[in-house]
């Protein structure tokens, strides 16, 4: 593995000291946001992590290696590069072998982060069950990765273009804790409300970190608790958009995708771009705001998690 993974020096030092580190996915740079917003937002997310006291580690694949902690130059390259592979867990080995640049999805980022011993990740929205999945069987690998990889993912729920009720059902079926941060309702990405109630809630980074630690402790007893944790952070009231407006935009975007015969990994980027176009940029503004907010919250949780681990180790040593 050592020959296949490259860890930025400050990330490696933080991990050695058991200091807080936050993983950031790179698909948002290569496939999620238009230029120049992609690289600008990536840098703002990293800055938000640092301001909250943690070290950011944007993850992707470059030159046949899994990169944990992009440099500024690597971020800029990925934002401008053509033919960047979209890398889920199932694509990692093939993209490493090909030497192509790869931007990792939530699943791909979790897979690599766990191998680097990073256990908190920030993103916009996870993948999930696609609308019409009863015909297409299109279900994101993010969900299966969450069921087997001990990484806490801070997000604004699942992307609004998905079938949110079915996504929540699958998360529950797979044994993945879904926890609201300051909310009792699963957010609908661009909107604060979805009508889907949550069973669990935390209201502080300390509470979130305590829940995560217990989840990992249970996993160490090999009782089938190796799953990740989804911490959902709704968009701010200032940046959120009305649910009915978003549903109308998504319906139109899905019709356009059907007419254009869009399939597979191209569906999500197409729908997000189409929704952004028809909303006249409003969804883009919300997306950027929630990405930065989630990075900040993930860092605060990582700081609390690191502090609790340090206190636990001191207590054991005494």
């Amino acid at each position: 593995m050592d020959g296949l993974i490259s860890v930025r020096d400050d990330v490696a030092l933080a991990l050695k000291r058991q200091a807080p580190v936050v993983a950031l996915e790179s698909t948002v740079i290569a496939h999620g946001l238009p230029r120049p917003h992609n690289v600008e937002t990536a840098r703002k997310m990293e800055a938000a992590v640092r301001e909250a006291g943690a070290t950011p580690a944007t993850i992707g694949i470059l030159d046949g290696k899994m990169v944990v902690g992009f440099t500024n130059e690597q971020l800029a390259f990925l934002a401008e590069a053509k033919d960047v592979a979209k890398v889920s867990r199932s694509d990692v080995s093939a993209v490493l072998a090909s030497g192509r640049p790869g931007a990792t999805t939530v699943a791909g980022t979790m897979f690599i982060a766990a191998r680097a011993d990073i256990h908190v990740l920030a993103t916009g929205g996870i993948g999930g069950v696609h609308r019409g999945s009863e015909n297409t069987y299109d279900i994101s690998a993010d969900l299966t990765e969450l069921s087997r990889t001990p990484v806490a993912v801070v997000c604004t729920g699942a992307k609004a273009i998905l079938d949110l009720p079915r996504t929540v059902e699958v998360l529950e079926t797979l044994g993945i804790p879904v926890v609201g941060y300051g909310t009792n309702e699963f957010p609908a990405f661009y909107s604060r409300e979805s009508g889907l109630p949550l069973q669990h809630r935390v209201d502080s980074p300390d509470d979130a970190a305590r829940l995560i630690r217990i989840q990992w402790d249970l996993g160490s007893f090999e009782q089938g608790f190796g799953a990740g944790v989804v911490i959902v952070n709704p968009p701010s009231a200032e940046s959120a958009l009305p649910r009915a407006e978003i549903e109308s935009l998504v319906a139109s975007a899905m019709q356009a995708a059907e007419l254009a015969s869009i399939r597979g990994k191209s569906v999500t980027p197409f729908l997000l771009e189409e929704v952004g176009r028809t909303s006249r940029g409003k969804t883009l503004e919300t997306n950027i705001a929630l990405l930065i907010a989630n990075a900040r919250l993930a860092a605060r949780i990582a700081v609390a998690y690191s502090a609790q681990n340090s206190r636990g180790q001191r207590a054991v040593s005494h």
Side-chain angles (χ1 to χ4, degrees):
M1 274 290 288
D2 287 349
L4 293 174
I5 194 164
S6 172
V7 183
R8 199 177 64 222
D9 288 347
D10 62 322
V11 176
L13 183 60
L15 291 170
K16 185 177 180 181
R17 293 176 173 172
Q18 296 187 316
V21 178
V22 173
L24 301 170
E25 52 109 336
S26 49
T27 293
V28 71
I29 304 169
H31 305 112
L33 296 175
R35 304 184 186 97
H37 299 288
N38 53 355
V39 71
E40 290 171 359
T41 303
R43 286 176 175 151
K44 286 177 182 176
M45 289 175 73
E46 291 204 340
V49 170
R50 289 193 178 94
E51 287 163 10
T55 300
T58 299
I59 288 175
I61 293 177
L62 290 174
D63 302 319
K65 290 197 175 188
M66 297 177 283
V67 178
V68 179
F70 276 30
T71 64
N72 271 327
E73 293 75 20
Q74 288 170 330
L75 280 177
F77 168 78
L78 198 70
E80 296 293 335
K82 302 286 191 286
D83 195 33
V84 176
K86 188 177 180 182
V87 183
S88 188
R89 181 190 179 120
S90 62
D91 307 301
V92 172
S93 57
V95 175
L96 286 170
S98 74
R100 285 177 66 194
T104 48
T105 64
V106 170
T109 305
M110 288 181 72
F111 176 77
I112 296 170
R115 275 141 191 80
D117 206 25
I118 301 171
H119 295 285
V120 180
L121 183 157
T123 186
I126 59 170
V129 180
H130 280 257
R131 302 183 191 212
S133 61
E134 64 272 22
N135 299 315
T136 65
Y137 295 94
D138 192 351
I139 300 173
S140 172
D142 292 356
L143 301 185
T144 45
E145 196 63 35
L146 278 159
S147 73
R148 62 189 172 191
T149 303
V151 173
V153 177
V154 179
C155 59
T156 308
K159 295 177 179 70
I161 57 175
L162 301 171
D163 186 326
L164 298 187
R166 285 180 174 163
T167 297
V168 171
E169 286 292 336
V170 171
L171 285 165
E172 181 181 347
T173 299
L174 293 174
I176 302 159
V178 180
V179 184
Y181 189 87
T183 183
N184 297 311
E185 189 172 355
F186 192 82
F189 197 65
Y190 301 118
S191 311
R192 292 178 63 84
E193 68 288 332
S194 68
L196 299 168
L198 292 170
Q199 302 301 313
H200 310 293
R201 169 178 174 152
V202 293
D203 291 289
S204 72
D206 274 336
D207 288 346
R210 190 173 302 110
L211 186 153
I212 291 165
R213 285 188 70 216
I214 292 170
Q215 176 79 353
W216 303 165
D217 287 347
L218 290 170
S220 70
F221 292 116
E222 298 182 346
Q223 296 296 316
F225 287 93
V229 178
V230 176
I231 298 174
V232 294
N233 182 34
S236 68
E238 296 77 29
S239 65
L241 299 171
R243 176 79 170 139
E245 178 182 341
I246 294 301
E247 279 300 302
S248 174
L249 294 172
V250 170
S252 297
M254 290 189 67
Q255 287 180 340
E258 189 65 31
L259 287 170
S261 299
I262 305 296
R263 298 287 184 271
K265 291 187 178 186
S266 300
V267 172
T268 296
F270 178 89
L271 292 176
L272 291 175
E273 184 177 347
E274 187 69 10
V275 168
R277 184 184 65 79
T278 54
S279 73
R280 295 196 276 279
K282 286 191 290 186
T283 56
L284 176 62
E285 291 175 14
T286 301
N287 197 354
I288 291 170
L290 64 84
L291 281 163
I292 296 166
N294 291 345
R296 185 178 299 111
L297 176 58
R300 293 173 64 202
I301 292 170
V303 167
Y305 177 78
S306 179
Q308 288 178 19
N309 277 346
S310 296
R311 287 197 297 270
Q313 288 168 359
R314 285 198 299 271
V316 169
S317 66
H318 287 113

